[in-house]
Amino acid sequence: MKDLTQGSVTRHLLHMSAFMAVSMVVQTLYLLADLYWVGHLGKEAIAAVGVAGNLMMIVLALTQMLGVGTTTLISHAAGKKDQPQAELVFNQSFVMSILVAFALGVFGFLLRNLYCEALSADAATATLAKSYLLWFIPALALQFPLVALGSALRATGIIKPTVGLQVLSVVLNIILAPLLIFGIGPWPRLGVTGAALATFISILIADVLMVIYFEKKYHYLRFRFPLFRPRLKIWTKMLHIGVPAGAEFVLLFVYIVIVYGIIRGFGPAAQAGFGVGARVMQALFLPVVALSFAVAPVVGQNFGGRRADRVRHSVYAGIGIAAVMMLVLTFIVWLAPAALIRFFSNDPRVIAFGGDYLRIVSFNFVAAGIVFTTSSVFQGIGNTWPPLISSMARLLLLLCQQYSFRARPDLRSSMCGTCRSHRSSFRCALIFRCSGASCGRNSTSKDSRILFPAARQRREVGSRKAKVRELDRWSITKTENYPNHHYDTSIVSKKACCPPVLCSGSGGACCYQPDEAQNSDEERLGIR
């Protein structure tokens, strides 16, 4: 056991964060490598892993509940130099982890089909998500005992064994994933199922080695079967501290579900772009997560030892380090968001959606780093309700914003119902209509028209004269730059086309046919 109530607080934070960062860097490589190999299977596979991977939020919520309660109570006992109490909490935490893991496995398999079909954009994505969860659910269940044991070590200031086993697990996963996904050598070709199976095998090995370490090497906390009998008083204390912390991740899962529900109508490319962007963001956040993991035990031991000055020092040092790290990541993401997505997918629409997501969300990075750190401070002192209230307020604001957008048509934008191009079709939607040849439908049918709010149309085009200037900009005289365009031969007076990427990825174009008799807003703007 390492006494964190003595010595430099900043040194303790940096020392523990450095070792945790090693684990996080390797974990980042795993996330990126796994996504890279799955990306070779197509955007449906990426979307499927993203849909199935959202269950990780539930697991994070439950493991956060278990881990925070374990870390807080054991660190308080260690700060008070009460080793028997620390050992009692350790054994109770391990028993609880086994029970929660079993319950997750049962409910996960019962709800697997319903979950995948509800959140997937199409049948192919749902089928792949079900296959992925076949082995990913058992892998998630194995996370619980691993988190309980690792949290107990971290509470006592010991992190090297946990980091070593995590590195080993990730390396095994990185090696096994391509073998099982593509069937290299004697290994079977399992596709996305192979990625999940590789994760299961690596976590199982890490669990076994962690139990061996406690039995053979670590003597401050030992497995004692008489202490396995459930102690409701200990469980109540752990849940009182851990449930609010776990509820934060439940709210995050609710947020992810809401976002997936919103983007579901935009097709697999949008889901894949969001899934890749979210995975990249999770990888970028790992350093600040490592810092927060270091803050909690330092604050916990000093709070248990009644060292208020050192608790305050831990708060200031943690916030300062987190702000600097996240500011650097903000600049990186803002400068090259598409490059981070392009590494995992060559689909231009996936890159477009994912790049936009990263660029927008990067504005919150510094604030998110401060939130992570202060949440860990509250976890260390055993009061996890303020962070939960903050998370509930953020989700409530999001829901109110979504309701306001739905309630006001002038704030909503629509997606091309024909060619499913939303992000890049703003200008095209204002002054062009989709050509039947480019979208595979009759250009005069109502469902092939892109309708945008009249207020936005008036702002963008304004008047007949402004529209003509815009048409001149994309006039027929510039068509030599776009040799693959299709033009409607019925256009006589004036015609214009936008680049194919705006409306269809198949070399078609969006062509406008003006009408002299335009009375309504849509007719006056050339959207019919």
Side-chain angles (χ1 to χ4, degrees), residues 12-27:
H12 286 318
L13 288 176
L14 293 176
H15 174 76
M16 296 184 69
S17 297
F19 279 97
M20 293 299 299
V22 173
S23 171
M24 296 300 175
V25 168
V26 178
Q27 185 73 13

Side-chain angles (χ1 to χ4, degrees), residues 244 248 374-375 378 381-392 394:
E248 287 188 70
T374 53
S375 294
F378 282 107
I381 64 178
N383 181 14
T384 53
W385 287 100
L388 175 61
I389 294 173
S390 174
S391 297
M392 292 176 64
R394 292 198 301 270

Side-chain angles (χ1 to χ4, degrees), residues 1 5 21 39 71 90 99 150 158 173 209 235 242 248-249 295 386 401 414-416 440 480-481 491:
M1 198 276 288
T5 61
T71 300
F90 164 70
L99 295 178
I158 305 298
N173 202 330
L209 293 178
W235 285 27
E248 287 188 70
F249 281 88
V295 169
Q401 183 186 49
S414 301
M415 179 180 59
C416 174
E480 63 272 9
N481 294 326
I491 297 177

